Amino acid sequence: MPQDLPPVGGYGPVQYKRNLPAPGFRPATLLLAMGAVMTFGFYKLGQGIREQNELAREKMWSRIHLIPLLQAEEDRDLVRRHLADQAREKELLGENTQVYNSGKYVRPTFAVTPSNVTK
Amino acid sequence: MSARKPVFNQQVLYDTTPLPASIPPVKEIGATSAPLLSASFFIGARCRPYNDDFMQCKTENHGKGEIECLKEGRRVTRCAASVIDDINTHCLDEFRKHWQCLDNNNHQLWQCRKDEWKLSKCVFDNLKLEKTIPDAAKGQPPVHLRTKPIYAHYPILRDRGQPPFGKAIDPPSAQAQADAPSS
């Protein structure tokens, strides 16, 4: 009985290495690419922030130019109501009571509303 | 609770008593927010001294400024009304286009640059008022003249036959200077 022998020419190669797909770019390349993308992104971010600052400044100055106008109109209305109120008080009570001891103008918390609104 | 200002709500609180005759009357400005925003820098250009006077008066009479500063307030209102009137007589179309654009774009000035440039040019040609933003960053064009606004929804397209924009357009005063020798 012949003994069991290797085939003629020997056995085929045994696959002991793992068969993984190609790993892509080298880590150093990836790091560089990431650095480039991040740098670009931060550059654009910086530009955007600077433009936002300028836009905010523009908006602020437009408001600064308008505030005296709006405030003057509001003040006139308040003074008109204040004087009307004083006159009404004088007519009803005969004198104007000073409520606050500061001499300052105080925005009224309560106001008289007319009993019949003609409007 | 106490932080809330007792604000007069004029829709509910009727008081039609006019100011006493001793206080000279002044016609109120009567413009809504968009025209005011559109004209704000021109108002600032012409009325800065009056505005500063008024605010100084308010600061010096702290707490009584409402009553003490009526005169300065009238000057402020008259000056602003004169600017609005002048813009209305000379640049009505451009003005209307610009403030309607602002109204349609949530009052974002950077969405309406093209209309704004036309208005600025017209206002400078007729009234010699120019929009400048004080304390703007040095070394870069002022933000209202840049041709590539980052935050605008749409890029600024040039008109047919208009030469390509640079990084920014010239302010109206520089444009007028450039035009003057040729004509």
Side-chain angles (χ1 to χ4, degrees):
Chain A
M1 185 175 173
Q3 217 169 352
D4 224 4
L5 287 173
V8 181
Y11 290 109
V14 177
Q15 191 189 350
Y16 62 93
K17 278 184 181 170
R18 289 192 299 166
N19 186 15
L20 293 177
F25 292 108
R26 292 213 313 271
T29 320
L30 282 176
L31 193 67
L32 271 178
M34 187 202 70
V37 169
M38 297 272 291
T39 311
F40 177 72
F42 271 104
Y43 169 70
K44 295 299 270 187
L45 176 71
Q47 276 190 330
I49 290 175
R50 282 178 186 200
E51 179 145 339
Q52 263 183 354
N53 290 345
E54 292 303 310
L55 290 170
R57 194 195 312 281
E58 183 186 28
K59 182 178 170 187
M60 194 55 88
W61 273 102
S62 76
R63 191 59 64 86
I64 289 173
H65 291 321
L66 289 181
I67 275 183
L69 168 68
L70 302 173
Q71 188 67 51
E73 181 169 349
E74 173 85 4
D75 283 358
R76 258 195 303 281
D77 190 53
L78 286 173
V79 167
R80 180 179 68 81
R81 286 164 187 271
H82 174 70
L83 293 180
D85 215 28
Q86 297 275 307
R88 214 176 288 127
E89 188 182 338
K90 184 119 185 162
E91 189 189 338
L92 290 172
L93 303 181
E95 57 172 344
N96 284 327
T97 323
Q98 207 169 6
V99 185
Y100 302 99
N101 195 23
S102 60
K104 291 183 174 178
Y105 171 79
V106 181
R107 282 173 86 104
T109 315
F110 304 104
V112 195
T113 48
S115 49
N116 51 342
V117 175
T118 53
K119 197 173 177 186
Chain B
M1 196 53 190
S2 62
R4 192 175 162 212
K5 259 188 180 178
V7 172
F8 247 168
N9 190 340
Q10 296 160 13
Q11 266 84 53
V12 184
L13 300 177
Y14 294 102
D15 190 350
T16 50
T17 320
L19 273 172
S22 58
I23 298 175
V26 59
K27 195 165 177 298
E28 296 296 356
I29 188 89
T32 47
S33 55
L36 283 179
L37 176 62
S38 172
S40 61
F41 279 91
F42 307 124
I43 291 176
R46 185 183 281 180
C47 307
R48 187 90 186 265
Y50 299 105
N51 290 353
D52 288 351
D53 262 3
F54 178 68
M55 292 321 256
Q56 191 187 12
C57 174
K58 293 274 285 184
T59 315
E60 283 169 358
N61 297 293
H62 185 70
K64 297 184 302 236
E66 284 84 352
I67 297 164
E68 303 289 327
C69 302
L70 280 175
K71 187 175 76 172
E72 284 81 0
R74 282 194 296 273
R75 285 181 183 158
V76 165
T77 304
R78 284 204 199 98
C79 178
S82 78
V83 175
I84 300 268
D85 279 351
D86 283 354
I87 297 179
N88 273 340
T89 34
H90 291 107
C91 305
L92 186 58
D93 288 344
E94 288 89 345
F95 186 43
R96 242 180 220 165
K97 277 226 176 74
H98 185 224
W99 69 252
Q100 282 170 357
C101 174
L102 287 176
D103 251 353
N104 292 337
N105 284 292
N106 220 352
H107 283 215
Q108 293 174 331
L109 286 165
W110 61 90
Q111 311 278 15
C112 304
R113 290 296 181 212
K114 207 165 178 185
D115 294 329
E116 183 188 321
W117 294 342
K118 285 176 184 159
L119 175 66
S120 290
K121 187 165 185 343
C122 174
V123 167
F124 183 79
D125 289 347
N126 290 300
L127 311 178
K128 299 281 172 263
L129 297 176
E130 191 171 24
K131 170 173 178 174
T132 46
I133 304 174
D135 309 327
K138 301 268 184 304
Q140 43 183 333
V143 71
H144 60 286
L145 300 175
R146 292 181 195 170
T147 47
K148 286 190 169 49
I150 297 178
Y151 292 97
H153 291 162
Y154 303 105
I156 300 175
L157 302 175
R158 59 199 160 95
D159 293 330
R160 193 176 290 272
Q162 202 179 5
F165 295 131
K167 210 172 157 202
I169 65 159
D170 290 333
S173 55
Q175 282 179 28
Q177 271 187 357
D179 290 346
S182 62
S183 60

